[in-house]
Structure formats: structure tokens, C-alpha cells
Amino acid sequence: MILEMNNIKKSFAELGVLKDISISVDKGEVVSIIGPSGSGKSTLLRCATFLETIDSGEIKYMETSAAWTGEDGTARYLPTAELRRVKSWYGLVFQQFNLFPHYTVMKNVVDAPINVQKRPKQEVIEEGKALLDKMGLADKADAYPCQLSGGQQQRVAIARALAMNPEILFFDEPTSALDPELTGEVLKVIRQLADEKMTMVIVTHEMAFARAVSDRVIFMDGGVIVEQGDPEQVLGAPAEERTKQFLRNYQR
Amino acid sequence: MNFSSLFSQLMAGFGNTLLVFCLTLVFSLPLGLLVCFGRMSKFKPLRWLMQLLISILRGTPLMLQIIVVFFGPYYLFNMHLSGSYRVSAVLISFSINYAAYLAEIYRSGIQSIPKGQYEAAEALGYSKSQTFFKIILPQMIKRVVPPVTNEVITLVKDTSLAFVISYTEMFTTAKQIAAAETTVVPLFVAGVFYYIFNAVVAWGMARIEKGLAYYN
């Protein structure tokens, strides 16, 4: 297992957002999480990436416990230095890209591998070039993010996450901030990564995409997993009434 | 009155004005950042202390602060300081006063950086200090250049307040000559000096702003 989250509970000001959620992701697996807004899917992703702290439960990466419930019932986390090692195992792609505006495209991609992972500069730059090439952005290496379209920025963000050589990649609604005609180019590179057996967890509203690319689809609502399984089954022939209702609303 | 002698006397005073201006910037620009850190600290006593400090420094006249810094050591602690303390007193009072204003400008700059920048840095494993110095600070500097320009221009004119402890900067010199010769010409010429100085400062700051315009 690359990622295991067990019995995760999280609430914001008494409002339960995640109610005892457990998921696990295997190597090479592509998992899509769908659900209405406020269902807790983004929060789950933010808890997995330690941008939010859980109230209780267990988070394990590569069989290493990064967070667990202490004897008093509240969550414990690994000390900063060890947690940093765990953090180097995953990458995160944001809805709003969050590129560093004062860095060129290339520096956005190579800065963390060089200054955080302390890898040799020349090697990282070569790898950065290859990644940008793969994203179809070879000619944009010296551009600044503000000179790029949203779709291009998101592809840079994906390259930036991949440059860290993560074991697993998280996507938080990667196309929700894009114009409809730009979503295709981003979905294409994610699909390409899926073909290469990159382990990925994708929070998305793109149902057709989720169906095509995922090994497993998780439908969340009200802070719980309502239904999960094969994409054809969950999206094509859902068992739960709530899932049917959601998909019906979606098609309108 | 001899115009060239007036000019050379004002130039001598202008040298001191320039000294106060430059050294105040050298000290207050980084000091402001430290005050800003204290003001934004999670450690409440430090935060409150800095809030109080900023409130006093912004809430009382700079002229009064110069007087307190200059005469305070003698009247409060009976310390006898040499005459060279005059310029130190000017620099101390100006630096802490400007640091207080700059701290609040920096704070607004830091708080205007989107949360996503911190989150992206965290997800990439940057340490707290790397995140600040590599990601946040450069973007903050770009955002605060226009309000800092305002402060720098105000500082050019505020240097004239040093006359209150008879520090011989340009305005003090101009006033002395004006009184001795019973004419307002020196004051007028000093005004022209300030104006030209500020035009140069504004031009320089505009260059900096332009230099940082390569990204949004």
C-alpha cells in the first residue's frame, strides 16, 4: 500500500466534515473521488497531504505511520524532520495551480528538487527539461507563469510535482479553475500518467474522465464514503440512491 | 547675501540630511522586518509588545521622539553623553519610528500573499525559513514598493525635524541663515533642494518598481 487512511475524523468548529473515513491506495492505482461540494472530498485530500490536521485516525504512507490516534483520543503526528521525509513521497496539484509567480517555469519545476531534496543541479535541470517536454511546454521554460494560459500553468504545476519523484500524486480538482476548452490538455497529461502506472488520487467533477481513467471511483457525501468500486459500476450502475441522485443532477 | 556662500552652506547641511536619510533607510528597512515578525508572532507577549511599540511610535510626534531619545538618557538615567550622541539620537529615533511604519506595511504585504503559495511550498517540502525567504519575501517586496515609496519620500522631508535638537542638517542651516540675514531666501532654496532630492528618490523607486514588473 502506498497510502492508507483509517478511521479519519475531522471537524471544523463542531461541524463534522469527515466522519470515520477509511481509504487505501495501492501502487499504480488511479482513484477518483467524486461528490457534491461540501462532501468532504477536498478536506480528505488536504488531510492526506497534511495541509489540514485530522482530529483522530491513522495516516500511513509506504507502511510508515505519519499520524495516529494517541491514548487521549487525539491525533499525533510524526516529528517535523520525519514528517518531511514522508512528505517527499507525495506530490500535490492544486485547483488554483499555486505556481510561484516570481520564478520562471523551469525554476518552478527544479527549485524544490535542488533546494529541498538537495539533488545535483545539472541532473535536476535535465530532468526538468524532459518533464516540460513531456507536458508539451518545452518552449516555455523561460516564461513566467503570468505569461501562460491556465491549462499551461496547470501542466507546469504537474511537472513541478513530478520533479520531486513522488510515489503518489494528488490532484485537487485540477481542472475546476480552467476554461472548458483548456481542461482537455490537462486531462490528457493526467491520462498519460495513468497509462504509465503513476499512482494517483484525483478529486474531480469530470465524470467522463473519472470513468475513463480510474481503476476505482469513490463517491463521497456528507463526510462519508457512500459508495466505491469499479468506475463502470459506480458511475454507470450505482447501487446507492444518493449516488444515483447525484449523477442525475450532474447530467442536467 | 552671497548666493554661492548660501549654496555651499546649504550643501554642507545637505550632506548631513543625506547621511540621516541613507542611514535611517539602512537601519529601518531591516528593523521594520524584525518588528513585523514580532507583530505577527504566535507568541502573544511579543506580539502585544510590538503592537504597543508600533502604537506609541505612530501615535506620538516624531519630533517628540527625537527629543526623548536625545535628552532621555540624561534626564531619566543621569547619563552624560558626548556631543557626538546628537547624530546617534537622530538616527535612533528616525530608525525606530520608520521601522514601526514599515513593519505595518510589510505585514500588509505578507498577509496579501495568497494562502496557496504557503500550501504549495509546504507540499514541496520547503522549510519555514525557505518558504519565507524564497517564496514569500520576494513577492512581498514587490507588493510593498509603492507604499514604501511614500514612506521614503516622507523621510526626505522628515529629516528637517532633526533641527529640534540642533542637528545641523539642511533645514537647520537654512533657518540659521534666514534668521541671521533676515530673509526667507535660504528657506526657499532649501525647499528647492528637498524637491529635487525627492524627484530623484521618486525616480529611483519607480525604477525599482519597473524592475519588479516582470511578473504579476
Side-chain angles (χ1 to χ4, degrees):
Chain A
M1 287 294 169
I2 301 268
L3 167 69
E4 246 186 286
M5 296 177 86
N6 296 319
N7 309 101
I8 304 294
K9 286 182 187 161
K10 167 77 183 171
S11 50
F12 292 113
E14 308 296 308
L15 184 75
V17 177
L18 299 178
K19 301 169 185 163
D20 202 11
I21 288 222
S22 300
I23 66 163
S24 61
V25 182
D26 236 332
K27 193 168 176 58
E29 204 179 11
V30 178
V31 177
S32 290
I33 305 177
I34 60 168
S37 53
S39 60
K41 55 194 193 310
S42 279
T43 305
L44 181 67
L45 205 103
R46 292 173 62 83
C47 286
T49 51
F50 308 111
L51 292 176
E52 302 285 355
T53 51
I54 55 173
D55 296 337
S56 67
E58 185 188 34
I59 303 174
K60 274 165 86 175
Y61 278 95
M62 320 275 288
E63 309 303 324
T64 303
S65 272
W68 59 93
T69 308
E71 278 169 14
D72 62 352
T74 65
R76 297 271 180 284
Y77 280 83
L78 277 179
T80 312
E82 287 167 64
L83 197 60
R84 183 161 300 144
R85 198 167 62 92
V86 172
K87 284 177 179 178
S88 71
W89 292 336
Y90 62 78
L92 175 58
V93 175
F94 298 87
Q95 183 178 351
Q96 301 293 343
F97 332 133
N98 295 344
L99 292 177
F100 303 131
H102 56 307
Y103 285 173
T104 61
V105 164
M106 182 55 102
K107 195 161 164 63
N108 262 284
V109 174
V110 301
D111 193 72
I114 293 170
N115 291 303
V116 175
Q117 294 182 325
K118 312 281 182 202
R119 286 166 52 202
K121 199 172 169 182
Q122 212 43 52
E123 173 194 312
V124 174
I125 288 174
E126 287 307 315
E127 211 180 292
K129 279 181 187 159
L131 276 171
L132 287 177
D133 196 29
K134 186 170 161 184
M135 297 292 143
L137 295 166
D139 55 331
K140 299 290 183 194
D142 297 323
Y144 285 91
C146 62
Q147 297 166 309
L148 305 181
S149 72
Q152 290 170 328
Q153 288 190 50
Q154 192 60 299
R155 282 182 283 149
V156 174
I158 295 171
R160 179 174 72 172
L162 286 171
M164 304 291 281
N165 289 321
E167 297 288 334
I168 178 171
L169 209 48
F170 294 98
F171 293 83
D172 188 6
E173 302 193 24
T175 59
S176 295
L178 298 175
D179 289 341
E181 77 247 44
L182 298 178
T183 57
E185 62 188 58
V186 171
L187 296 181
K188 199 178 122 203
V189 300
I190 300 176
R191 198 179 301 231
Q192 192 183 340
L193 293 172
D195 292 340
E196 294 166 13
K197 291 288 159 218
M198 180 78 208
T199 311
M200 294 187 282
V201 176
I202 309 164
V203 170
T204 185
H205 289 296
E206 300 283 338
M207 297 305 152
F209 171 73
R211 196 165 178 162
V213 83
S214 323
D215 297 308
R216 181 152 51 100
V217 170
I218 295 175
F219 173 66
M220 276 181 72
D221 189 27
V224 297
I225 293 176
V226 175
E227 186 166 359
Q228 65 173 313
D230 184 81
E232 293 303 321
Q233 180 247 309
V234 175
L235 296 170
E240 299 293 329
E241 187 49 43
R242 183 68 192 90
T243 318
K244 287 179 195 163
Q245 194 191 343
F246 171 74
L247 292 171
R248 253 199 318 275
N249 286 343
Y250 215 85
Q251 271 145 13
R252 273 191 307 200
Chain B
M1 186 188 53
N2 184 333
F3 193 79
S4 77
S5 115
L6 167 66
F7 191 82
S8 68
Q9 284 183 72
L10 283 182
M11 271 314 267
F14 181 73
N16 284 337
T17 295
L18 198 62
L19 180 83
V20 171
F21 172 79
C22 292
L23 289 179
T24 299
L25 285 185
V26 165
F27 294 132
S28 66
L29 286 169
L31 185 62
L33 197 58
L34 290 180
V35 175
C36 171
F37 288 156
R39 172 71 179 79
M40 295 178 77
S41 168
K42 286 196 180 86
F43 182 58
K44 277 183 188 165
L46 179 62
R47 197 167 72 220
W48 290 333
L49 183 71
M50 287 303 148
Q51 236 168 325
L52 179 70
L53 185 77
I54 291 169
S55 144
I56 292 170
L57 289 168
R58 294 200 306 182
T60 60
L62 174 54
M63 195 190 280
L64 177 62
Q65 292 166 22
I66 300 169
I67 293 170
V68 168
V69 171
F70 185 58
F71 294 108
Y74 176 74
Y75 286 107
L76 295 175
F77 308 109
N78 205 23
M79 285 162 70
H80 293 272
L81 295 162
S82 72
S84 69
Y85 179 60
R86 198 179 300 275
V87 63
S88 307
V90 170
L91 291 175
I92 292 169
S93 46
F94 273 85
S95 297
I96 58 171
N97 178 275
Y98 273 81
Y101 282 94
L102 290 169
E104 288 296 272
I105 292 174
Y106 294 161
R107 185 169 66 92
S108 73
I110 290 171
Q111 288 175 343
S112 74
I113 307 292
K115 209 170 141 230
Q117 292 289 304
Y118 290 93
E119 292 183 347
E122 191 174 337
L124 289 165
Y126 287 99
S127 68
K128 278 222 159 75
S129 73
Q130 279 178 322
T131 302
F132 183 76
F133 288 106
K134 292 178 73 78
I135 311 298
I136 306 302
L137 186 65
Q139 297 186 58
M140 178 275 258
I141 289 172
K142 179 186 163 84
R143 286 169 192 232
V144 301
V145 169
V148 167
T149 301
N150 263 341
E151 289 304 312
V152 175
I153 285 174
T154 305
L155 172 61
V156 170
K157 295 171 289 179
D158 273 359
T159 54
S160 63
L161 291 173
F163 88 89
V164 75
I165 56 168
S166 307
Y167 177 69
T168 51
E169 45 68 58
M170 184 168 55
F171 190 69
T172 311
T173 312
K175 254 183 52 150
Q176 281 164 355
I177 303 170
E181 312 252 345
T182 55
T183 165
V184 292
V185 172
L187 294 175
F188 181 78
V189 175
V192 173
F193 264 80
Y194 283 116
Y195 181 78
I196 293 170
F197 186 14
N198 258 333
V200 172
V201 167
W203 176 83
M205 295 303 285
R207 288 299 300 260
I208 293 174
E209 207 176 319
K210 214 174 156 195
L212 291 170
Y214 62 89
Y215 72 89
N216 285 322

